[in-house]
Amino acid sequence: GYMGHTDCASSHQSNTGCDVKNMDDKSFGPNFNSNKGGVVVTQWTTAGIYAWWFENNKWPSDVFTNPNTCHYGEPYAAFPFGSWCTKDHFRNH
């Protein structure tokens, strides 16, 4: 994916914050529907938030049982935490 907005402040750009656009046209809209969906795997750890996209029936065999993202390749979205954005900005709600 690629960054849509690089200013992650929620007070700018109509509260969009940072966003990542997935380049795969089967990941949204009519193509997503005609492809019978897919799976987005999101990993949220103390290191950051990461997301992988898989087309329908092309996901890893462990995705529904015990996901191991080490084998999923590069995520399409990566938000590593650091001094610019600490893990304290996120909470389970």
Side-chain angles (χ1 to χ4, degrees), residues 15-81:
N15 201 29
T16 59
C18 295
D19 66 326
V20 174
K21 309 235 185 249
N22 190 333
M23 299 300 293
D24 187 336
D25 68 352
K26 292 184 191 119
S27 69
F28 63 95
N31 290 337
F32 178 84
N33 294 337
S34 66
N35 199 43
K36 297 184 176 144
V39 171
V40 174
V41 175
T42 303
Q43 180 182 50
W44 177 10
T45 69
T46 56
I49 300 172
Y50 305 88
W52 292 261
W53 152 252
F54 300 103
E55 288 185 46
N56 184 33
N57 291 319
K58 293 184 180 179
W59 46 71
S61 60
D62 67 355
V63 77
F64 296 114
T65 55
N66 190 21
N68 183 351
T69 59
C70 293
H71 305 289
Y72 293 0
E74 187 175 355
Y76 82 86
F79 297 99
F81 297 141

